[in-house]
Amino acid sequence: MTKARIDARFAALKAEGRAGFVSYVMAGDPDAETALAILKGLPAAGADLIEVGFPFSDPMAEGPPIQRAAQRALRKGMTLKGTLAAIAAFRQDDQDTPIILMGYTNPLVTWGYEAFARDAAAAGVDGVIVVDCPPEEADSLADALDAHDVSLIRLATPTSDDKRLPVVVSRTSGFVYYVSVAGVTGVKEADAAAVAPHVERVRKASGLPVAVGFGIKTPERAAAVARVADAVVVGSALVDEVAAGVDAGEDVTPNEDVTRRVLTKAESLAKAVRAARRIPA
Amino acid sequence: MNAPASPDRPNDYTAYPDADGRFGDYGGRYVPETLMPLVHELDAAYRAAKADPAFQAELAGYMRHYVGRPSPLYFASRLTEHFGGAKIYLKREELNHTGSHKINNCMGQILLAMRMGKTRIIAETGAGQHGVATATVCARFGLPCVVYMGAVDVERQKPNVFRMNLLGARVEAVTAGSATLKDAMNEALRDWVTNVHDTYYLIGTAAGMHPYPEMVRDFQAVIGQEARQQVLEAEGRLPDAVVACVGGGSNAIGIFHPFLNDDGVRLIGVEAAGEGMETGRHAAAINGGRPGVLHGNMTYLLQDAEGQIEEAHSISAGLDYPGIGPEHSWLHDVGRATYLTATDLESLDAFKLTAELEGILPAIESAHALARIGDIARNVGKGGVVVLNLSGRGDKDVATVANHLGMQI
């Protein structure tokens, strides 16, 4: 059921002749209830796939927006277990939208790879991205995920040269995430023209669809990337809406203002991605 | 992924890490993909440099004429007399240029960085000793230098911040997370991942992703190589015990490593117990943590039940880190080294005692090792010999010590 959901979604996008919109949100940000309302609202707002971050205290590849999102979530007590519970709740209403978990190695080591793979699959997780677990360290995790038919999604980057790329795409399925800039999330801006040849290289090396993320904040930028990639990932810009809502309003749960802000932002990005190939640059 | 319950004792303790950077279960390369090609490049460059006699000769020249090596092995007769046990020798790393063992590693890595054609140096620092040592070699070789330092540490180690500035380095105060050494390391990694094309990350301790734990150990092993030869000259025998404080563990692994295969030599690390192990406010990764992954390696870590990293607590900024180098984790599991603890207060007492009896102000980090030296010397007994790595000088700590004694200076 799991890999199948990612493959089915990319096949449908291909049939429609458009790129997918992948929205990233942090579990438990700003609180469990609001985050679940956001998660449940994302498909209607136009998210074709959803990445759900599970918070970690020391997220070394994140820029300030997602670092702060993780801190907010941890302060409200979000855990990996709570993250899987939120995904299970989402799955009660939505059997089609692929969910990709994204985070860092240590909470998975703590859980145990086998138990984590089993529980993630049961919750309805389709793929997992572990930012600080490169192929060299991933065999035991990949074995565990394979046993439950959950994809281990790999990151290709501007530093993935022709020698490195085959290593990166080994033992992967679903899609490949191309990190469009050398850097942390949400700081540098992605350049669609510079990204295009890399997307082609990664597609060729992996035989899989390529989603592009890091540094895509505006509908314009998302549309530009949507013309060259199979999917566009936006994270920090959505997380910024959570921060803005929290800063602007009272600390209430659920925070409907935060939910509205995030889903409105997601809608504008999704519209731009959906229309990109119909409207020439 | 937990540590094996009954690990095998290897025949050769010095044969690690393996090609994947593993000391048993520990170590590895848990870094974002953007950095992986650089980590492999660094590994290849280090292996080539290690095997190149010209590189080793250049390093040895700077170690002698710029760092001031060899450092003396000093018989601390009054400490010995005070405790009434084994003879206590101090390996005087605090006499090195910049005042600690940190310069040994910085000199090795800066030569490697230049050999690799890197033009910008970044580093993290806790107490500021590694930051000062990095700023020093960057000034010496004319490379721009950015040092990441937790905002809390910037506040408690102001003289070292000023020293770094005088040496031309830019000090970035890190306010993220707990604003101490682990957060400085996160921020340095974020800088590296952003500036991969020209930047060399000069890690200050024998931790992080492979090959750093091996490389830093190798550059620090000069401490143990000298100490081993010096104690043989002085006593005609190997010591009964070698003792060092452990945060990340670079001074400890540096003095331990050349003794690893000397079965009769006990190797004893001393972790920071902060306000006391029972309070939970400490920095003792082995005595109070469990294995996990942080900053590129699998090692013992302070963490909660969910795998979130916990803040370390120590009077010593240099030991205030929730992890420990992976080789120490392995030496602990296989039983080759023993890891004790010393509290803030015990270390302050040892600081004062060493000043009064030997006329030496030890770094508050090194004072943790000194806090256990009496027990160890008495345990070994008269006729025995123990060597303690006096890894740094305590001038930087006088304000902290005064503060704890209730004085203003």
Side-chain angles (χ1 to χ4, degrees):
Chain A
M1 190 60 201
T2 47
K3 270 177 203 168
R5 217 153 18 211
I6 301 175
D7 293 346
R9 184 50 53 100
F10 275 102
L13 290 167
K14 194 170 182 185
E16 285 181 52
R18 67 174 179 90
F21 171 56
V22 185
S23 55
Y24 171 98
V25 288
M26 175 66 74
D29 177 30
D31 60 76
E33 210 179 322
T34 308
L36 181 58
I38 293 169
L39 194 59
K40 287 186 168 180
L42 279 170
D48 297 301
L49 293 86
I50 301 172
E51 284 180 13
V52 178
F54 56 98
F56 181 51
S57 52
D58 293 78
M60 66 160 132
E62 313 298 345
I66 293 178
Q67 287 175 41
R68 288 196 283 261
Q71 291 296 329
R72 285 193 297 268
L74 288 172
R75 272 201 300 273
K76 289 286 174 81
M78 184 44 64
T79 59
L80 184 53
K81 192 176 181 180
T83 305
L84 293 184
I87 291 165
F90 171 88
R91 275 280 170 257
Q92 289 177 357
D93 309 327
D94 187 316
Q95 287 298 319
D96 303 318
T97 307
I99 296 267
I100 316 298
L101 264 187
M102 187 165 182
Y104 290 79
T105 305
N106 201 47
L108 306 186
V109 169
T110 302
W111 193 293
Y113 290 160
E114 299 291 336
F116 163 72
R118 178 197 66 213
D119 296 344
V125 169
D126 303 287
V128 177
I129 299 173
V130 189
V131 177
D132 60 345
C133 191
E136 281 81 347
E137 305 296 348
D139 277 343
S140 51
L141 177 61
D143 291 344
L145 293 174
D146 280 352
H148 294 277
D149 206 23
V150 175
S151 291
L152 180 59
I153 311 288
R154 288 278 164 78
L155 302 169
T157 77
T159 61
S160 306
D161 57 17
D162 290 339
K163 189 175 138 211
R164 181 71 189 162
L165 209 43
V167 178
V168 170
V169 302
S170 64
R171 298 201 69 177
T172 192
S173 59
F175 65 95
V176 178
Y177 187 135
Y178 182 71
V179 174
S180 61
V181 295
V184 295
T185 49
V187 178
K188 286 183 186 171
E189 287 216 19
D191 174 356
V195 161
H198 292 290
V199 170
E200 201 44 54
R201 279 177 59 230
V202 177
R203 254 191 217 128
K204 215 170 147 187
S206 64
L208 292 170
V210 177
V212 173
F214 278 47
I216 302 168
K217 292 180 174 178
T218 62
E220 295 72 27
R221 187 77 51 172
V225 174
R227 292 189 187 98
V228 300
D230 301 301
V232 180
V233 188
V234 179
S236 296
L238 295 175
V239 165
D240 278 342
E241 292 298 319
V242 178
V246 167
D247 290 347
E250 291 169 49
D251 188 6
V252 290
T253 305
N255 192 325
E256 283 166 18
D257 178 47
V258 165
T259 306
R260 186 185 48 75
R261 280 171 187 263
V262 174
L263 294 179
T264 303
K265 183 79 176 184
E267 255 173 52
S268 71
L269 289 157
K271 251 185 216 154
V273 169
R274 282 164 188 256
R277 293 196 201 152
R278 283 185 273 128
I279 305 163
Chain B
M1 295 300 290
N2 285 334
S6 55
D8 295 325
R9 289 177 67 96
N11 294 323
D12 179 4
Y13 288 100
T14 65
Y16 297 82
D18 64 19
D20 295 324
R22 291 280 178 171
F23 304 87
D25 283 349
Y26 302 106
R29 289 174 281 221
Y30 294 89
V31 295
E33 180 56 37
T34 304
L35 292 178
M36 279 308 289
L38 283 93
V39 166
H40 284 295
E41 179 197 354
L42 177 61
D43 192 28
Y46 175 58
R47 246 144 269 294
K50 194 173 176 175
D52 180 356
F55 177 85
Q56 295 297 345
E58 187 184 15
L59 177 58
Y62 285 113
M63 287 295 218
R64 181 176 168 82
H65 300 290
Y66 189 76
V67 175
R69 302 209 69 89
S71 68
L73 184 74
Y74 160 73
F75 173 49
S77 62
R78 297 196 66 207
L79 274 178
T80 300
E81 195 183 325
H82 177 81
F83 291 118
K87 292 172 83 170
I88 298 168
Y89 281 86
L90 303 178
K91 179 62 174 163
R92 302 287 304 275
E93 288 299 298
E94 100 281 12
L95 294 178
N96 293 334
H97 181 40
T98 74
S100 82
H101 71 292
K102 292 294 186 187
I103 191 84
N104 302 328
N105 167 50
C106 288
M107 190 54 80
Q109 286 200 53
I110 197 85
L111 295 180
L112 180 64
M114 289 188 294
R115 190 181 158 104
M116 292 174 73
K118 302 294 182 184
T119 55
R120 176 177 176 266
I121 306 294
I122 59 171
E124 84 295 333
T125 198
Q129 295 302 95
H130 173 60
V132 167
T134 304
T136 297
V137 295
C138 286
R140 170 60 185 78
F141 294 102
L143 291 170
C145 177
V146 178
V147 178
Y148 290 93
M149 188 168 184
V152 170
D153 294 336
V154 166
E155 200 48 45
R156 61 179 165 177
Q157 301 286 343
K158 277 182 188 160
N160 270 345
V161 174
F162 187 59
R163 284 168 80 193
M164 286 184 266
N165 289 333
L166 285 175
L167 292 160
R170 199 173 90 222
V171 178
E172 292 281 348
V174 177
T175 54
S178 58
T180 58
L181 180 53
K182 84 176 171 74
D183 308 285
M185 198 153 179
N186 288 333
E187 215 52 40
L189 284 162
R190 289 177 187 129
D191 180 313
W192 197 22
V193 86
T194 306
N195 299 292
V196 284
H197 56 288
D198 65 352
T199 296
Y200 182 93
Y201 181 15
L202 207 163
I203 293 183
T205 193
M209 66 296 293
H210 180 67
Y212 285 98
E214 176 187 3
M215 178 166 69
V216 176
R217 175 200 74 196
D218 290 349
F219 289 136
Q220 293 294 2
V222 67
I223 304 171
Q225 288 153 7
E226 287 175 7
R228 195 173 183 283
Q229 190 185 336
Q230 287 165 323
V231 74
L232 284 172
E233 280 165 16
E235 293 286 336
R237 52 166 286 199
L238 290 171
D240 298 285
V242 173
V243 185
C245 66
V246 188
S250 70
N251 93 82
I253 203 68
I255 196 163
F256 287 176
H257 197 259
F259 292 99
L260 284 183
N261 285 335
D262 296 322
D263 282 342
V265 180
R266 288 170 61 198
L267 304 175
I268 302 170
V270 182
E271 296 190 302
E275 295 170 18
M277 293 304 292
E278 71 287 354
T279 67
R281 292 176 60 81
H282 58 77
I286 284 182
N287 284 282
R290 64 166 201 278
V293 172
L294 179 69
H295 294 150
N297 65 131
M298 168 82 67
T299 194
Y300 277 85
L301 298 171
L302 301 182
Q303 54 183 319
D304 68 12
E306 299 286 333
Q308 305 297 342
I309 307 305
E310 292 188 319
E311 279 182 47
H313 297 276
S314 171
I315 189 175
S316 147
L319 304 181
D320 206 350
Y321 180 69
I324 185 169
E327 193 163 7
H328 288 294
S329 292
W330 173 71
L331 290 172
H332 166 74
D333 278 11
V334 298
R336 178 63 189 97
T338 307
Y339 295 85
L340 308 175
T341 63
T343 65
D344 290 350
L345 292 177
E346 289 172 321
S347 306
L348 282 164
D349 286 344
F351 181 100
K352 285 187 284 179
L353 186 71
T354 309
E356 287 162 12
L357 291 183
E358 296 291 348
I360 295 171
L361 293 183
I364 195 72
E365 289 77 16
S366 319
H368 283 70
L370 287 160
R372 289 279 80 84
I373 200 67
D375 303 340
I376 294 165
R378 280 192 292 258
N379 182 272
V380 167
K382 276 192 187 296
V385 174
V386 298
V387 174
L388 181 143
N389 195 11
L390 194 66
S391 55
R393 70 180 181 218
D395 306 58
K396 69 183 176 58
D397 297 310
V398 291
T400 303
V401 173
N403 194 28
H404 277 262
L405 297 176
M407 289 184 271
Q408 285 275 326
I409 53 169

